[in-house]
Amino acid sequence: FAFVPQLDCKEFTSASCVQKTKRKGKRSHRYAILSDSISDAPRPGSMEAARLETGKVPYGEESREYRRTVFLRNSDWARHRNPDRLFENLGSIFLSGVARQLATGVLTMTCVALTTVIWNGLLDKWAPLNSRSFLSKYCTMRLSVQPFSFCASALGLLLVFRTNSSYQRWLEAQNNMSRILSQLKNILRMSSTWLPAGGDSNRLLKEIGLASWAVLRSLQNHLRSPEQEEASFVAHVRKSLDSNVAERLIQSKDRPLWAIQDLSAAIDKLPIDDGKKREMDKSIVIILDCIESCIKTLRYPVPLVYSRHTTRFLAAWLLALPLAMYDSFASSWNHILLVPATTLISFFFLGIDELAIQLEEPFSILPIEYSCALLKQRAKQVVEWHAINVDQNRDNSS
């Protein structure tokens, strides 16, 4: 982790390098990647850091930018493997963004359980003796447990397939972004190695580096919400690229493809033989395939008929569950323990469905900002590496 560069944090504020402190009622921003020595500080960009910096727990769509997890410190992994994590996670359950997202559904299930307890208690204790048997038989809120036992396995399979498909989409998106970053770095490596010394080599290398960065930055803009990304994208592109190149990219209808075209044109300008250009073009082909795979993941969700049926099945099962569990809590006063039991069961079952929903669209929780900042830093270092290679070749030839 010592090799992590000091990234351009103005482009990497939401993922891992923003730390905000409050002084005299105002927020002062300090952009830095924290060292391993600050082991007690929350991981920058995490939900804990967001809670400290904003004074509230973000949830729903607001929380997604804080889920772009990047571990940049050894202490992050040490905390992740902390043997006390079980009790720490249980203690922070009320600060969970998932818990707040599920508040309405869990509260509804809890109200059903509470209504069941009150209604059945009134029938059992306060109904007239001459009509108690009739009311207890036909008006009580009770169901048999057996249908729920039969349905539990089917519901479990639906939830497992749902979460597995969503996780697979997240993993595929992560692998595609990693391959794109790897191939762009490969283009930088080949440019630095094959470009001859002298002439416009430094300018050409800078052009290749910025064109490579523009591909990844355009893809980030294409895969994220325009309301969140457009202003920062325009500012970053205009600051980093030549004005004519930047305006053409901003006005393009397909920004990733336009950025790929600019990168291909920059490669074609290199004074190297056609065989080496073909090798670099192979990386371009791989990048295009990965971009199309990302767009496919973004445009085509898990079939809605499957997601909706799973949600309906789960909701109906949980709504009727208190009626089936009522007699199981006969040992508690007036069956009152049915209420907290229903709350916990509803929270964890609805949480599984919520996790699948959150993972299904992976690009707003993938730390693409970090990849962009890292690639831009490497693009700047390419010029230095090329100069070192030229000096070494000159020394060897002499």
Side-chain angles (χ1 to χ4, degrees):
F1 292 85
F3 60 80
V4 175
Q6 295 299 319
L7 303 178
D8 185 357
C9 293
K10 291 181 180 179
E11 299 179 17
F12 182 40
T13 57
S14 60
S16 69
C17 62
V18 176
Q19 184 183 15
K20 300 181 181 178
T21 57
K22 295 183 179 180
R23 297 177 182 175
K24 299 180 181 179
K26 297 182 179 179
R27 291 178 183 173
S28 61
H29 299 254
R30 179 162 59 88
Y31 298 96
I33 293 179
L34 303 182
S35 64
D36 284 335
S37 61
I38 314 178
S39 58
D40 294 334
R43 176 175 51 81
S46 64
M47 294 290 287
E48 184 180 359
R51 180 173 60 84
L52 293 176
E53 94 184 26
T54 62
K56 63 179 181 179
V57 178
Y59 65 95
E61 292 301 312
E62 293 182 2
S63 69
R64 293 185 70 79
E65 65 176 292
Y66 297 105
R67 302 189 187 278
R68 299 164 189 169
T69 306
V70 179
F71 281 1
L72 297 177
R73 309 173 297 182
N74 287 323
S75 58
D76 293 330
W77 283 108
R79 180 178 294 182
H80 186 63
R81 297 188 295 264
N82 183 7
D84 297 330
R85 63 186 181 276
L86 173 64
F87 303 103
E88 291 180 357
N89 291 333
L90 282 176
S92 62
I93 191 170
F94 295 106
L95 299 176
S96 169
V98 174
R100 294 178 177 242
Q101 182 77 355
L102 299 174
T104 302
V106 173
L107 182 61
T108 301
M109 308 305 172
T110 303
C111 290
V112 171
L114 184 60
T115 302
T116 301
V117 169
I118 295 174
W119 178 259
N120 289 340
L122 290 175
L123 289 182
D124 293 341
K125 295 182 180 180
W126 302 106
L129 291 176
N130 57 356
S131 61
R132 184 171 298 178
S133 59
F134 174 82
L135 293 175
S136 298
K137 185 176 181 180
Y138 295 104
C139 298
T140 185
M141 295 179 66
R142 285 183 175 91
L143 291 174
S144 173
V145 179
Q146 290 182 351
F148 292 85
S149 301
F150 294 149
C151 294
S153 57
L155 178 60
L157 287 175
L158 282 175
L159 290 175
V160 167
F161 292 152
R162 179 81 174 88
T163 51
N164 281 351
S165 61
S166 296
Y167 175 77
Q168 199 62 39
R169 290 167 60 85
W170 177 87
L171 184 61
E172 181 183 4
Q174 185 188 51
N175 290 337
N176 282 326
M177 297 305 301
S178 296
R179 290 193 70 192
I180 292 172
L181 180 61
S182 174
Q183 293 302 322
L184 289 173
K185 286 183 177 180
N186 197 34
I187 291 174
L188 295 177
R189 176 190 61 82
M190 289 186 287
S191 301
S192 175
T193 304
W194 292 338
L195 192 62
D200 294 336
S201 59
N202 287 347
R203 181 185 62 80
L204 292 173
L205 281 175
K206 290 180 180 178
E207 187 176 344
I208 289 287
L210 289 176
S212 300
W213 168 82
V215 171
L216 196 56
R217 189 64 183 85
S218 299
L219 182 60
Q220 175 187 333
N221 172 259
H222 192 72
L223 298 175
R224 295 271 182 83
S225 171
E227 293 79 9
Q228 298 176 354
E229 285 289 327
E230 187 64 21
S232 62
F233 172 77
V234 171
H236 293 160
V237 167
R238 285 176 175 168
K239 177 183 176 181
S240 302
L241 303 180
D242 179 76
S243 59
N244 293 331
V245 176
E247 292 304 322
R248 288 199 302 268
L249 180 60
I250 292 171
Q251 298 300 325
S252 173
K253 299 298 183 182
D254 190 342
R255 289 169 176 171
L257 184 60
W258 189 271
I260 285 285
Q261 174 64 30
D262 286 344
L263 178 58
S264 299
I267 292 174
D268 191 58
K269 294 178 184 178
L270 297 179
I272 57 178
D273 61 72
D274 292 340
K276 294 177 179 178
K277 289 182 180 180
R278 282 193 293 271
E279 287 299 319
M280 299 176 74
D281 191 64
K282 291 179 181 178
S283 294
I284 297 290
V285 173
I286 295 175
I287 291 171
L288 274 173
D289 289 341
C290 292
I291 289 176
E292 286 304 313
S293 180
C294 290
I295 294 175
K296 178 200 72 173
T297 301
L298 180 67
R299 294 287 179 257
Y300 305 113
V302 174
L304 296 181
V305 61
Y306 184 91
S307 300
R308 289 170 179 169
H309 184 72
T310 302
T311 302
R312 290 165 184 154
F313 192 168
L314 178 60
W317 194 82
L318 288 175
L319 283 170
L321 186 62
L323 282 68
M325 295 196 304
Y326 180 79
D327 291 331
S328 300
F329 292 92
S331 58
S332 63
W333 176 80
N334 202 29
H335 304 256
I336 194 63
L337 290 183
L338 173 66
V339 177
T342 301
T343 301
L344 284 176
I345 293 173
S346 300
F347 169 71
F348 290 117
F349 269 88
L350 292 175
I352 296 173
D353 183 66
E354 178 66 19
L355 292 179
I357 291 293
Q358 293 291 331
L359 288 175
E360 187 176 1
E361 191 277 283
F363 299 106
S364 56
I365 57 175
L366 283 176
I368 309 176
E369 296 90 344
Y370 173 73
S371 299
C372 290
L374 181 62
L375 182 63
K376 194 172 187 180
Q377 184 70 21
R378 292 292 182 259
K380 294 178 181 178
Q381 293 175 344
V382 162
V383 179
E384 301 175 7
W385 297 340
H386 179 68
I388 293 173
N389 290 334
V390 170
D391 293 339
Q392 288 179 347
N393 293 335
R394 186 181 298 113
D395 293 341
N396 293 334
S397 62
S398 61

